[in-house]
């Protein structure tokens, strides 16, 4: 018999649950990682759903409740301006309270964990029932969004459709698979076709004036207001962003994970004009948020330099793949990144609005882009 148990804070979760799941070798499922977000983002309601069998944890779901303006959602869905106006007016341009199952600040399959050896479908259905029990009891909640699943998981996660969810494809993660023989940025570039090698060299040449500094905990704390402002610049330029991260989170992550969590600052004449952040998770390097002073970006190629440096970091950390995340897919493909499809599931809390919502969800189309083939 499977049952669900909900915790409102990481500190409430018994250590035995984590031990039973044996999930903490993946940083993104560790209580230390999740705690950093909970401690620094007080405007988000965090909850953690555990599935128990004979009082032992066999599955876990990470959830957050956030508030999103309806116009933020509709402006990023392909539809006629008339239909967009109708939907905005229907919801009175109001804000939606959305329950995210999955980490709203990460792009990838980091929201649910199933213990090895358990029946995956039955255990995942138990998570779906636990989520349903939770959202039914939550006041002022409108929509449930369960994210982001790779194609290999769909035979499990498509069972959400029996819970009246509609599936939708979202922008793919862009992944660079690193070859063992690429032991430096130079050997990586040697594998590129001429025009892509020229492109990478041009980015490095234009950004020569930038001074790069690896940030310590003290540096993140010292520059946190500038970091937040630069991050806000990228949020303002993004197509869609569910929630803004308080970069105090980075202070906790750096304190806890030390060299595995990387923040690099880019300075121009002593002024911070950009940064990158990344997490080394087992054999993967994952790009996290970046920040850019766009008034300097074109002249000094800040963003292309950041992308080059993600490749350098992946090689120096001996990672076998780099996840560059979503957005700006075409330029990432010029470095050799290829898309990894992701599927999400959505439903309204109440039956009738959900029947209206489902056709829109099913018709959401992701942006197309030119996939470059930069390797020889």
């Amino acid at each position: 018999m499977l049952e669900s148990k909900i915790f409102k804070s990481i500190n409430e979760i018994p250590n035995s649950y984590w031990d039973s799941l044996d999930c903490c070798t993946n940083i993104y499922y560790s209580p230390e990682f999740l705690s950093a977000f909970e401690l620094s983002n007080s405007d988000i309601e965090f909850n953690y759903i555990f599935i128990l069998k004979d009082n032992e944890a066999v599955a876990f779901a990470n959830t957050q409740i956030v508030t999103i303006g309806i116009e933020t959602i509709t402006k990023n869905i392909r539809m006629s301006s008339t239909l967009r106006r109708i939907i905005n007016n229907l919801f009175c341009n109001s804000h939606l309270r959305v329950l995210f199952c999955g980490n709203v600040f990460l792009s990838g399959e980091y929201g649910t964990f199933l213990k090895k050896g358990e029946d995956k479908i039955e255990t995942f259905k138990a998570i779906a029932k636990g989520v349903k029990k939770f959202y039914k009891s939550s006041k002022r909640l409108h929509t449930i969004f369960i994210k982001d699943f790779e194609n290999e998981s769909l035979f499990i996660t498509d069972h959400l459709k029996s819970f009246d969810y509609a599936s939708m494809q979202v922008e793919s993660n862009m992944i660079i698979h690193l070859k063992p023989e690429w032991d430096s940025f130079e050997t990586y570039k040697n594998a590129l076709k001429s025009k892509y090698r020229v492109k990478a060299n041009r980015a490095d040449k234009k950004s020569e004036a930038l001074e790069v500094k690896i940030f310590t905990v003290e540096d993140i704390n010292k520059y946190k207001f500038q970091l937040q402002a630069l991050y806000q610049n990228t949020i303002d330029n993004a197509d869609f962003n569910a929630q803004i991260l308080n970069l105090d989170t980075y202070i906790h992550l750096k304190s806890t994970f030390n060299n595995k969590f990387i923040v690099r600052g880019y300075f121009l004449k002593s002024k911070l004009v950009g940064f990158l952040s990344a997490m080394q998770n087992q054999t993967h390097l994952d790009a996290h948020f970046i920040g850019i002073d766009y008034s300097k970006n074109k002249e000094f190629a800040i963003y292309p330099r950041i992308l080059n440096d993600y490749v350098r970091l992946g090689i120096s950390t001996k990672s076998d793949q780099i996840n560059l995340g979503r957005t700006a897919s075409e330029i990432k493909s010029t470095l050799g990144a290829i898309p990894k499809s992701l599927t999400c599931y959505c439903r309204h809390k109440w039956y009738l609005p959900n029947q209206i919502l489902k056709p829109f969800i099913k018709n959401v189309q992701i942006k197309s882009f030119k996939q470059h083939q930069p390797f020889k």
Side-chain angles (χ1 to χ4, degrees):
M1 179 70 179
L2 300 175
E3 60 176 331
S4 62
K5 192 167 184 179
I6 299 170
F7 297 91
K8 292 188 175 295
S9 172
I10 284 290
N11 294 330
E12 297 175 3
I13 301 168
N15 288 333
S16 61
Y17 285 15
W18 301 111
D19 294 338
S20 175
L21 288 176
D22 192 26
C23 61
C24 296
T25 52
N26 186 321
I27 283 173
Y28 300 134
Y29 295 118
S30 69
E32 294 83 4
F33 181 83
L34 297 169
S35 178
F37 291 83
E38 182 184 306
L39 288 169
S40 303
N41 299 274
S42 57
D43 54 337
I44 299 175
E45 182 182 327
F46 291 85
N47 292 277
Y48 311 91
I49 301 173
F50 280 81
I51 304 302
L52 307 180
K53 183 169 77 173
D54 299 327
N55 291 319
E56 285 197 358
V58 294
F60 161 73
N62 175 28
T63 76
Q64 306 96 55
I65 297 178
V66 303
T67 302
I68 307 175
I70 185 67
E71 70 283 354
T72 302
I73 299 171
T74 57
K75 78 176 183 180
N76 294 294
I77 297 176
R78 289 184 181 178
M79 61 176 72
S80 70
S81 57
T82 302
L83 181 57
R84 183 177 292 110
R85 187 168 59 253
I86 290 170
I87 294 173
N88 287 346
N89 290 336
L90 182 65
F91 287 94
C92 303
N93 290 306
S94 61
H95 287 73
L96 299 181
R97 292 263 293 168
V98 181
L99 171 65
F100 281 88
C101 182
N103 195 316
V104 72
F105 296 115
L106 296 179
S107 173
E109 201 170 308
Y110 307 120
T112 57
F113 183 89
L114 309 179
K115 185 177 179 179
K116 189 176 180 181
E118 298 296 326
D119 185 296
K120 292 184 181 298
I121 291 173
E122 289 306 309
T123 309
F124 189 80
K125 282 183 177 179
I127 288 178
K129 290 175 183 175
V131 172
K132 182 177 181 179
K133 178 182 173 183
F134 177 49
Y135 74 67
K136 287 288 187 183
S137 66
S138 299
K139 297 178 181 178
R140 298 187 300 109
L141 193 64
H142 300 94
T143 308
I144 301 89
F145 197 82
I146 302 183
K147 63 185 290 281
D148 298 309
F149 297 101
E150 298 171 2
N151 288 346
E152 295 81 358
S153 298
L154 298 187
F155 78 98
I156 303 170
T157 60
D158 270 349
H159 285 84
L160 286 169
K161 293 175 182 177
S162 66
F163 290 83
D164 218 14
Y165 287 83
S167 66
M168 59 185 287
Q169 219 174 8
V170 294
E171 277 192 283
S172 301
N173 271 338
M174 297 299 292
I175 310 292
I176 299 178
H177 296 279
L178 297 174
K179 293 185 177 180
E181 59 266 30
W182 296 342
D183 57 2
S184 68
F185 193 61
E186 288 303 314
T187 53
Y188 154 79
K189 285 193 298 182
N190 287 340
L192 296 173
K193 295 173 184 174
S194 176
K195 73 172 184 176
Y196 296 103
R197 189 164 58 250
V198 168
K199 186 179 177 70
N201 286 333
R202 187 187 305 121
D204 282 347
K205 182 69 176 176
K206 289 183 71 174
S207 62
E208 277 182 339
L210 300 179
E211 180 188 349
V212 183
K213 179 178 175 60
I214 299 173
F215 276 18
T216 62
V217 173
E218 291 74 22
D219 292 322
I220 298 172
N221 194 47
K222 177 181 177 181
Y223 291 102
K224 68 178 181 180
F225 295 111
Q226 292 98 312
L227 290 169
Q228 194 77 48
L230 291 170
Y231 163 60
Q232 184 66 50
N233 288 346
T234 62
I235 294 301
D236 293 341
N237 276 273
D239 289 331
F240 177 76
N241 195 74
Q243 193 69 18
I244 296 172
L245 180 70
N246 184 326
L247 291 190
D248 280 349
T249 309
Y250 281 8
I251 297 172
H252 294 291
L253 290 176
K254 189 64 178 176
S255 298
T256 303
F257 296 104
N258 197 9
N259 293 335
K260 288 187 179 298
F261 183 65
I262 302 157
V263 179
R264 281 190 175 186
Y266 295 80
F267 291 84
L268 183 64
K269 297 179 180 178
S270 301
K271 180 187 176 184
L272 186 66
V273 294
F275 77 89
L276 68 75
S277 59
M279 179 69 83
Q280 188 183 4
N281 184 27
Q282 298 173 310
T283 61
H284 296 176
L285 182 79
D286 297 320
H288 283 221
F289 291 114
I290 65 169
I292 296 171
D293 180 344
Y294 285 97
S295 69
K296 303 289 191 297
N297 185 46
K298 187 173 182 180
E299 183 180 358
F300 297 100
I302 301 170
Y303 183 57
R305 171 62 181 276
I306 285 173
L307 291 179
N308 280 0
D309 284 354
Y310 273 128
V311 178
R312 289 185 171 96
L313 281 172
I315 293 169
S316 67
T317 55
K318 302 189 186 307
S319 301
D320 56 29
Q321 77 168 46
I322 306 167
N323 180 358
L324 292 176
R326 293 194 261 251
T327 73
S329 299
E330 182 173 342
I331 188 173
K332 290 171 182 175
S333 77
T334 65
L335 292 163
I338 58 175
K340 186 157 195 157
S341 298
L342 294 172
T343 297
C344 296
Y345 300 83
C346 186
R347 63 154 294 155
H348 197 280
K349 179 178 179 179
W350 303 113
Y351 176 78
L352 285 178
N354 192 47
Q355 301 315 302
I356 298 171
L357 183 64
K358 282 169 70 175
F360 292 109
I361 296 169
K362 290 177 180 177
N363 288 316
V364 169
Q365 296 180 357
I366 58 174
K367 289 182 177 180
S368 60
F369 66 94
K370 180 182 178 181
Q371 175 69 41
H372 292 260
Q373 304 294 334
F375 294 116
K376 295 174 182 174

